[in-house]
Short mmCIF file of all heavy atoms in Angstrom, two decimals:
data_model
loop_
_atom_site.label_atom_id
_atom_site.label_comp_id
_atom_site.label_asym_id
_atom_site.label_seq_id
_atom_site.Cartn_x
_atom_site.Cartn_y
_atom_site.Cartn_z
N SER A 876 -2.31 6.16 -1.60
CA SER A 876 -3.58 5.53 -1.23
C SER A 876 -3.83 5.67 0.27
O SER A 876 -4.97 5.68 0.70
CB SER A 876 -3.62 4.07 -1.66
OG SER A 876 -2.49 3.39 -1.24
N LEU A 885 -12.14 11.79 6.72
CA LEU A 885 -12.61 13.17 6.70
C LEU A 885 -14.06 13.23 6.21
O LEU A 885 -14.90 13.91 6.81
CB LEU A 885 -11.73 14.01 5.77
CG LEU A 885 -10.30 14.27 6.24
CD1 LEU A 885 -9.51 15.00 5.17
CD2 LEU A 885 -10.30 15.07 7.51
N ALA A 887 -16.35 10.87 6.32
CA ALA A 887 -17.26 10.27 7.30
C ALA A 887 -17.52 11.24 8.45
O ALA A 887 -18.67 11.41 8.88
CB ALA A 887 -16.67 8.96 7.82
N ARG A 889 -17.28 14.48 8.39
CA ARG A 889 -18.04 15.65 7.94
C ARG A 889 -19.53 15.30 7.84
O ARG A 889 -20.39 16.11 8.22
CB ARG A 889 -17.51 16.18 6.63
CG ARG A 889 -17.77 17.68 6.48
CD ARG A 889 -17.45 18.21 5.12
NE ARG A 889 -18.05 17.39 4.09
CZ ARG A 889 -17.36 16.76 3.15
NH1 ARG A 889 -16.06 16.85 3.14
NH2 ARG A 889 -17.97 16.03 2.25
N LEU A 892 -20.85 15.47 11.24
CA LEU A 892 -21.07 16.86 11.64
C LEU A 892 -22.37 17.40 11.05
O LEU A 892 -23.13 18.10 11.73
CB LEU A 892 -19.91 17.73 11.16
CG LEU A 892 -18.64 17.70 12.00
CD1 LEU A 892 -17.52 18.43 11.29
CD2 LEU A 892 -18.88 18.31 13.36
N ASN A 901 -33.01 21.28 14.60
CA ASN A 901 -34.39 20.83 14.73
C ASN A 901 -34.75 20.44 16.15
O ASN A 901 -35.72 19.72 16.37
CB ASN A 901 -34.65 19.66 13.78
CG ASN A 901 -34.63 20.09 12.34
OD1 ASN A 901 -35.56 20.70 11.86
ND2 ASN A 901 -33.53 19.81 11.66
N VAL A 904 -38.44 21.27 17.06
CA VAL A 904 -39.44 21.15 15.99
C VAL A 904 -40.51 20.12 16.35
O VAL A 904 -40.19 18.97 16.63
CB VAL A 904 -38.75 20.77 14.66
CG1 VAL A 904 -39.77 20.44 13.60
CG2 VAL A 904 -37.86 21.92 14.21
N GLU A 926 -8.38 -2.39 -0.13
CA GLU A 926 -7.76 -3.04 -1.28
C GLU A 926 -8.60 -4.24 -1.69
O GLU A 926 -9.41 -4.74 -0.90
CB GLU A 926 -6.34 -3.51 -0.92
CG GLU A 926 -5.42 -2.38 -0.53
CD GLU A 926 -4.16 -2.88 0.13
OE1 GLU A 926 -4.26 -3.58 1.15
OE2 GLU A 926 -3.08 -2.59 -0.37
N LEU A 931 -9.48 -10.39 3.52
CA LEU A 931 -8.87 -11.69 3.82
C LEU A 931 -7.61 -11.53 4.65
O LEU A 931 -7.18 -12.45 5.32
CB LEU A 931 -8.53 -12.43 2.52
CG LEU A 931 -9.70 -12.68 1.57
CD1 LEU A 931 -9.21 -13.34 0.31
CD2 LEU A 931 -10.74 -13.54 2.25
N MET A 932 -7.00 -10.33 4.56
CA MET A 932 -5.74 -10.13 5.26
C MET A 932 -5.92 -9.02 6.30
O MET A 932 -6.91 -8.32 6.31
CB MET A 932 -4.65 -9.73 4.27
CG MET A 932 -4.40 -10.78 3.22
SD MET A 932 -3.23 -10.22 2.00
CE MET A 932 -4.20 -9.11 1.02
N GLU A 933 -4.92 -8.88 7.14
CA GLU A 933 -4.93 -7.81 8.13
C GLU A 933 -4.49 -6.51 7.47
O GLU A 933 -3.49 -5.94 7.84
CB GLU A 933 -3.98 -8.15 9.27
CG GLU A 933 -4.45 -9.26 10.18
CD GLU A 933 -5.62 -8.83 11.03
OE1 GLU A 933 -5.70 -7.65 11.36
OE2 GLU A 933 -6.44 -9.68 11.34
N VAL A 940 -19.84 6.12 6.08
CA VAL A 940 -21.15 6.20 6.72
C VAL A 940 -22.08 5.32 5.90
O VAL A 940 -22.36 5.60 4.75
CB VAL A 940 -21.66 7.66 6.75
CG1 VAL A 940 -23.09 7.71 7.23
CG2 VAL A 940 -20.79 8.51 7.63
N VAL A 944 -29.68 6.60 10.84
CA VAL A 944 -30.88 6.02 11.46
C VAL A 944 -31.59 7.06 12.33
O VAL A 944 -30.96 7.94 12.92
CB VAL A 944 -30.52 4.78 12.33
CG1 VAL A 944 -30.13 3.62 11.44
CG2 VAL A 944 -29.43 5.09 13.31
N GLU A 945 -32.93 6.94 12.38
CA GLU A 945 -33.73 7.79 13.24
C GLU A 945 -34.04 7.04 14.52
O GLU A 945 -34.23 5.83 14.51
CB GLU A 945 -35.05 8.17 12.55
CG GLU A 945 -34.88 9.30 11.57
CD GLU A 945 -36.22 9.76 11.01
OE1 GLU A 945 -37.20 9.02 11.16
OE2 GLU A 945 -36.24 10.85 10.44
N ASP A 955 -49.09 21.27 27.87
CA ASP A 955 -49.18 22.67 27.45
C ASP A 955 -50.37 22.80 26.50
O ASP A 955 -50.22 22.78 25.28
CB ASP A 955 -47.88 23.10 26.77
CG ASP A 955 -47.90 24.57 26.38
OD1 ASP A 955 -48.88 25.27 26.72
OD2 ASP A 955 -46.93 25.02 25.73
N GLU A 963 -55.31 15.75 22.35
CA GLU A 963 -56.60 16.01 23.03
C GLU A 963 -56.42 16.23 24.52
O GLU A 963 -57.15 16.97 25.15
CB GLU A 963 -57.57 14.83 22.82
CG GLU A 963 -57.99 14.62 21.38
CD GLU A 963 -57.00 13.78 20.62
OE1 GLU A 963 -56.55 12.75 21.16
OE2 GLU A 963 -56.63 14.17 19.49
N PRO A 970 -39.09 16.93 20.43
CA PRO A 970 -38.05 16.00 19.91
C PRO A 970 -37.16 15.47 21.02
O PRO A 970 -37.03 16.07 22.09
CB PRO A 970 -37.24 16.88 18.95
CG PRO A 970 -38.12 18.01 18.60
CD PRO A 970 -39.01 18.24 19.78
N GLU A 977 -25.52 16.42 21.93
CA GLU A 977 -25.13 16.80 20.57
C GLU A 977 -23.82 17.58 20.58
O GLU A 977 -22.97 17.38 19.71
CB GLU A 977 -26.23 17.65 19.92
CG GLU A 977 -27.55 16.93 19.73
CD GLU A 977 -27.43 15.64 18.94
OE1 GLU A 977 -26.66 15.62 17.97
OE2 GLU A 977 -28.07 14.65 19.32
N MET A 978 -23.65 18.47 21.56
CA MET A 978 -22.42 19.26 21.61
C MET A 978 -21.21 18.37 21.88
O MET A 978 -20.14 18.58 21.31
CB MET A 978 -22.51 20.34 22.70
CG MET A 978 -23.47 21.47 22.40
SD MET A 978 -23.25 22.18 20.76
CE MET A 978 -21.75 23.11 21.01
N ASP A 989 -9.83 16.47 12.91
CA ASP A 989 -8.47 17.01 13.05
C ASP A 989 -7.43 15.90 12.98
O ASP A 989 -6.37 16.06 12.37
CB ASP A 989 -8.33 17.73 14.40
CG ASP A 989 -9.07 19.05 14.42
OD1 ASP A 989 -9.55 19.45 13.34
OD2 ASP A 989 -9.18 19.67 15.49
N ALA A 994 -3.05 12.97 10.03
CA ALA A 994 -2.55 11.79 9.34
C ALA A 994 -2.30 12.10 7.87
O ALA A 994 -1.30 11.67 7.29
CB ALA A 994 -3.55 10.65 9.47
N ARG A 996 -1.55 15.06 6.58
CA ARG A 996 -0.36 15.91 6.48
C ARG A 996 0.91 15.09 6.63
O ARG A 996 1.89 15.32 5.93
CB ARG A 996 -0.40 16.98 7.58
CG ARG A 996 -1.38 18.07 7.29
CD ARG A 996 -0.86 19.41 7.80
NE ARG A 996 -1.83 20.45 7.47
CZ ARG A 996 -2.53 21.11 8.39
NH1 ARG A 996 -2.32 20.87 9.67
NH2 ARG A 996 -3.40 22.02 8.02
N LEU A 1003 6.71 13.83 0.20
CA LEU A 1003 7.62 14.89 -0.26
C LEU A 1003 9.06 14.56 0.10
O LEU A 1003 9.99 14.80 -0.67
CB LEU A 1003 7.23 16.23 0.36
CG LEU A 1003 5.98 16.88 -0.24
CD1 LEU A 1003 5.62 18.13 0.55
CD2 LEU A 1003 6.23 17.24 -1.69
N LEU A 1006 10.85 12.26 -2.18
CA LEU A 1006 11.30 12.86 -3.42
C LEU A 1006 12.76 13.31 -3.32
O LEU A 1006 13.40 13.54 -4.35
CB LEU A 1006 10.42 14.04 -3.81
CG LEU A 1006 9.01 13.70 -4.28
CD1 LEU A 1006 8.26 14.98 -4.58
CD2 LEU A 1006 9.05 12.83 -5.50
N ARG A 1010 18.31 13.13 -5.22
CA ARG A 1010 18.39 14.50 -5.72
C ARG A 1010 19.86 14.92 -5.82
O ARG A 1010 20.65 14.54 -4.96
CB ARG A 1010 17.65 15.44 -4.76
CG ARG A 1010 17.56 16.86 -5.28
CD ARG A 1010 16.86 17.75 -4.30
NE ARG A 1010 15.41 17.59 -4.42
CZ ARG A 1010 14.57 18.26 -3.61
NH1 ARG A 1010 15.03 19.05 -2.67
NH2 ARG A 1010 13.27 18.08 -3.76
#
Side-chain angles (χ1 to χ4, degrees):
Chain A
S876 51
L885 291 175
R889 208 189 49 240
L892 281 171
N901 291 285
V904 171
E926 299 166 302
L931 302 177
M932 299 175 284
E933 288 290 329
V940 172
V944 289
E945 280 187 344
D955 183 5
E963 295 85 45
E977 297 304 321
M978 290 310 286
D989 287 352
R996 285 215 179 113
L1003 285 174
L1006 289 178
R1010 186 181 279 178

